Amino acid sequence: MTSRPKPSATALLSPMATSLAFLAIVIVCGIVFAPSFLSVANLASVSSGIMAPAIILLVACLAMTGGVADLSLGSVLGLGGVVYATVLQLSESPLAGVAAAAAAGVAVGLFNSVLSVRFHIWPLIATLGMLVAARGLVSVISGGSSVAAYTPELSAALKTAIGPVPVVLVGVVVLAVLVGWIIRYTRWGNHLRAVGGDDVAARRAGIPANRMRMWLFVVVALVAALAGSLQVMRTGASAVNLGEGVELLVYGALLISGYRLAGGGRGSALSGLVCLFALELIRNIFRLRGLPLPLTDVLLGLTLIGAVSLDLVRGRVRRPLIAQPATG
Amino acid sequence: MSTSGIALTNRWARVSALAPRGHGATTLVLLLTWLALVVATGLRAPGFLSGQTVVAVAFNMAFVGIMVTGVGIVMMSGAEFDLSVGVTAVTSALIVAQLLVEGWSFPPAMLVAVLFGVLIGAANAWLVLWLGIHPIVATLGMMFLVSGVTRIFVDFVAIPRDSFLRQQAAGAWLGVPRVFWVMLVVFTIVGLVIRSTRPGRHLVAVGGNAQAARARGISPRRVQGVAFVLCGLCAGIAGLVLASQGDIVQSSLTAGTEFRVISILLLGGLALTGGRGRFSGVFASLLLLSTLPTAIVTWGVSSSWQPVIEGLVLAVALAVNSLREKKR
């Protein structure tokens, strides 16, 4: 006879419950410290501002399910943005810009995948080099200053809203549901979870684990570069520090919602999105209060360490559920 | 006769275990590459072979070399690496500079700066060994935490011209900055301690196989904890070296150094998983990678390529390390 876990413990294990609790705490803090953040205009600007990180979060969540955590995402976001802006300036064609950004993303993804999969290096470590190199390429290409790339019609299209709700937000939520469905209900998603959980077992079952991982690297980098060009389309310029720290924001959110860096875990795309929104709200509250900018870095550092610690707490809660010697 | 034969074989086995084949070759290859780099750059731009270059490279080596020593201890102990050394060093430099500005005398200011490094090292040890967070994640979080907190308070500090630091440490001995000799002493002592003392062998044993070390009564957690604290200590000392040069200390001074440190260790032949490698190879690789930036600028390449090259070097170092481990 096994004892039932306490309700609070099961809530910690459910990704959505944790994420919503986190969001609720942030909103309460916001109401206390910066009441103006509840205005519709501010919330709309926050939710459209996280477009690029949100898109990256969705693919990162696919990749993490398969055990691929790519630290170069933020740099590749910046690279995609600056390549798009530069090509747009030269050719005056947004399509060429997007194609160039996509090509850059694929190239980076191939590099990462060869390094990690062929040389058997843990993804987090293998992508450290690209984290530095891609960020360096951004300043090489842009010459160290921001590149203007304003296209009125694209910018307007990305800023349209139905009432107070930005269209991109709707798009991102739809994508999140789609990603969740792929992971849970398709054969490919099933294989993905198998590879992330135990790749030796997956390989024995005939799943091409290495090939799947290589694809994941390429897809993640490609989407990060595309998200960078979308971001530039929306804002009209590519800053040198575009996307700096985004990888920590994204992985922090995913870790809070229950994913694990080593692969597997029990998060979901939607709950990751909720956490990302909560983290962005914290940054927004900082900004509204006029707090110093480096505080954001402190937040990112604390999130990363805190999120992993949360995973350890979860492990402690879960363990009695699995191997329960009937003690009490 | 036969007993002495056995003793001889045993001793030979022990010696060859201490000096595995390949390390000498690694050092030789690195030194030859360095020589080729120096000769090629010298032929192209004779101005390269000047006292000025020697001073620049030697200072580079001093600052990076002390951090390499610290992270080398961590890597040897099997705790992978510490990404927070760069910001820890710069913060300790800012601390010593600020204290000198406020009129402290040098010894207590120095002590505070070094203690700060030790504190960060202890915090890392706690996160990694007691909470069980993976070293990359824990020290990456720590890196953002420290740099954020530092920049909230101070961005740059001018160092008083009449301080002991500027008067004494900035001078040269035998044409090379004094701080270089400091680094050389620290590096040599640590290298010798690891190779031929009991604590050093414990370190290598834990790095090579923590389980086996535990079976022999060595506590891996304690050894790795000491490694992290020593690494923090080295970062603090590196901060003093940084503060002894130039007129101001700036919080953005060391961006990317932590990645160069890892490249140096991996290229130099330390195994990422710990327990293998020699410090002679690391020194050769320190020489090569500290000369490279100056040489590249002499070749007429814009210095904004610097991070790109560093990132690629890190990727190559990881690949080389992986190949070396596979051969084993």
Side-chain angles (χ1 to χ4, degrees), chain A residues 111 115 119-122 125-126 128-129 131-133 136-137 140 248 261 292 294-295 297-298 301-302 304-305 308-309 312, chain B residues 80-81 127 131 133-134 136-137 140-141 144-145 148-149 151-152 259 272 304-305 307-308 311 314-315 318-319 322-323:
Chain A
F111 185 91
L115 190 61
F119 289 94
H120 306 283
I121 302 169
W122 205 44
I125 300 178
L128 278 179
L131 166 77
V132 185
L137 274 180
V140 168
L248 295 190
L261 281 174
L295 208 56
D297 278 358
V298 179
L302 283 178
L304 204 60
I305 294 174
V308 183
S309 314
L312 300 170
Chain B
E80 299 208 339
F81 44 68
L127 288 175
L131 287 188
I133 302 178
H134 192 277
I136 303 182
V137 181
L140 192 68
F144 273 81
L145 207 60
V149 171
R151 281 183 295 134
I152 288 175
F259 299 108
L272 188 56
S304 55
W305 279 96
V308 182
L314 179 54
L318 282 167
S322 159
L323 286 181

Side-chain angles (χ1 to χ4, degrees), chain B residues 181-199:
Chain B
W181 301 109
V182 174
M183 183 276 289
L184 202 61
V185 169
V186 172
F187 192 93
T188 316
I189 290 176
V190 170
L192 286 178
V193 163
I194 286 183
R195 241 184 101 178
S196 44
T197 68
R198 180 193 280 264

Side-chain angles (χ1 to χ4, degrees), chain A residues 44-58 77 154-155 157-159 166-173 175 223-224 226-235 246 249-250 273 276-277 280:
Chain A
S45 104
V46 170
S47 47
S48 60
I50 61 169
M51 177 187 67
I55 294 172
I56 290 183
L57 178 124
L58 295 180
L77 172 79
L154 284 175
S155 178
L158 283 169
K159 279 180 179 163
V167 170
V168 285
L169 184 66
V170 178
V172 164
V173 171
L175 274 178
V223 172
L226 289 179
S229 48
L230 270 179
Q231 176 81 357
V232 174
M233 273 179 210
R234 205 176 71 86
T235 57
V246 162
L249 200 65
V250 164
L273 213 53
L276 183 70
F277 187 67
E280 192 59 34

Side-chain angles (χ1 to χ4, degrees), chain B residues 158-324:
Chain B
I159 302 162
R161 204 164 270 281
D162 55 348
S163 70
F164 171 85
L165 210 55
R166 292 292 299 281
Q167 302 278 317
Q168 293 302 314
W173 190 58
L174 296 181
V176 179
R178 276 191 193 149
V179 285
F180 174 83
W181 301 109
V182 174
M183 183 276 289
L184 202 61
V185 169
V186 172
F187 192 93
T188 316
I189 290 176
V190 170
L192 286 178
V193 163
I194 286 183
R195 241 184 101 178
S196 44
T197 68
R198 180 193 280 264
R201 282 203 299 270
H202 284 188
L203 190 80
V204 176
V206 168
N209 188 337
Q211 295 267 315
R214 194 180 292 123
R216 293 280 172 124
I218 307 169
S219 157
R221 189 186 270 185
R222 190 184 302 160
V223 170
Q224 291 180 339
V226 170
F228 270 113
V229 170
L230 286 179
C231 180
L233 176 73
C234 287
I237 298 173
L240 295 180
V241 168
L242 188 65
S244 75
Q245 304 292 313
D247 295 322
I248 61 168
V249 182
Q250 224 174 343
S251 60
S252 60
L253 212 55
T254 60
T257 320
E258 48 280 340
F259 299 108
R260 192 194 298 174
V261 167
I262 297 166
S263 305
I264 290 172
L265 288 168
L266 291 178
L267 268 190
L270 250 61
L272 188 56
T273 44
R276 274 192 292 274
R278 274 206 305 188
F279 271 54
S280 54
V282 174
F283 191 81
S285 138
L286 173 66
L287 192 63
L288 175 64
L289 288 196
S290 304
T291 315
L292 195 62
T294 319
I296 285 171
V297 174
T298 316
W299 281 76
V301 178
S302 151
S303 65
S304 55
W305 279 96
Q306 190 75 38
V308 182
I309 292 164
E310 300 232 343
L312 294 181
V313 168
L314 179 54
V316 170
L318 282 167
V320 167
N321 184 69
S322 159
L323 286 181
R324 208 182 271 145

Side-chain angles (χ1 to χ4, degrees), chain B residues 35 37-54 298:
Chain B
L35 206 63
L37 180 74
V38 169
V39 169
T41 316
L43 285 180
R44 199 183 148 103
F48 177 70
L49 300 173
S50 67
Q52 225 173 352
T53 310
V54 172
T298 316

Side-chain angles (χ1 to χ4, degrees), chain B residues 45-68:
Chain B
F48 177 70
L49 300 173
S50 67
Q52 225 173 352
T53 310
V54 172
V55 169
V57 170
F59 171 66
N60 239 334
M61 283 180 76
F63 175 58
V64 178
I66 292 177
M67 286 192 281
V68 164

Side-chain angles (χ1 to χ4, degrees), chain A residues 110-146:
Chain A
L110 280 176
F111 185 91
N112 280 338
S113 72
V114 168
L115 190 61
S116 174
V117 178
R118 289 279 161 246
F119 289 94
H120 306 283
I121 302 169
W122 205 44
L124 270 185
I125 300 178
T127 49
L128 278 179
M130 196 40 83
L131 166 77
V132 185
R135 179 61 57 200
L137 274 180
V138 171
S139 36
V140 168
I141 294 173
S142 67
S145 55
S146 66

